[in-house]
Amino acid sequence: MVKMVLYKTVNQFFPLFNNWLRQIKDPRNKESIEYSLPVMVWIGLLLFMLKIGSRRQINFQFNADKMLKNIPFLAGEEIERIAHSDTLNYLACRVNSEEVHRLRTKMIRRLIRMRMTL
């Protein structure tokens, strides 16, 4: 139920969200990447949305069967297991903040074009 509500909401307001995420330059070594940027961003977003106390809890709470189904559903990609919290931290420390700001700007502009109020 929760996954469908979140999925429908994101798809209604930001149908290209995962494509926008794929446009962000991934700072990781291409040969070592196991999880795509959309998967990693969804893990990070869910960390905050679900009010998980720390990144370390990803390793315990996110490897449940429900999360192993929800994250691929939201990201539109298959995964076998959830990325380790250190992988998320590594990416978060290295991703270009300007590109993240541009993503936020795209989202806000879309809401404005749709005449949505925050």
Side-chain angles (χ1 to χ4, degrees), residues 5-118:
V5 172
L6 178 59
Y7 176 78
K8 286 180 179 181
T9 302
V10 170
N11 248 9
Q12 178 179 354
F13 295 109
F14 310 109
L16 299 174
F17 185 70
N18 286 325
N19 291 335
W20 291 344
L21 292 175
R22 287 183 191 94
Q23 292 172 2
I24 295 174
K25 184 178 181 222
D26 197 329
R28 300 173 292 170
N29 182 350
K30 289 185 187 346
E31 290 84 36
S32 302
I33 294 175
E34 185 174 343
Y35 303 97
S36 70
L37 201 60
V39 168
M40 297 302 293
V41 169
W42 276 110
I43 291 171
L45 288 172
L46 290 170
L47 176 74
F48 289 103
M49 284 187 221
L50 299 174
K51 299 181 181 177
I52 304 297
S54 68
R55 275 192 338 265
R56 189 168 172 265
Q57 289 299 313
I58 291 172
N59 303 335
F60 304 109
Q61 295 184 16
F62 277 25
N63 275 308
D65 286 340
K66 285 185 180 182
M67 292 308 282
L68 285 171
K69 292 177 184 173
N70 288 338
I71 292 173
F73 183 76
L74 292 167
E77 299 178 20
E78 291 298 317
I79 59 171
E80 293 180 19
R81 56 189 155 84
I82 301 297
H84 193 276
S85 62
D86 291 343
T87 306
L88 180 61
N89 184 54
Y90 180 89
L91 176 63
C93 289
R94 286 163 180 77
V95 73
N96 185 334
S97 61
E98 285 298 318
E99 292 191 66
V100 175
H101 290 295
R102 280 193 288 275
L103 173 63
R104 184 181 62 189
T105 301
K106 281 183 186 179
M107 295 172 76
I108 292 169
R109 285 183 177 157
R110 172 140 171 88
L111 292 174
I112 291 169
R113 279 194 305 270
M114 294 175 70
R115 299 183 187 259
M116 300 303 302
T117 57
L118 299 177

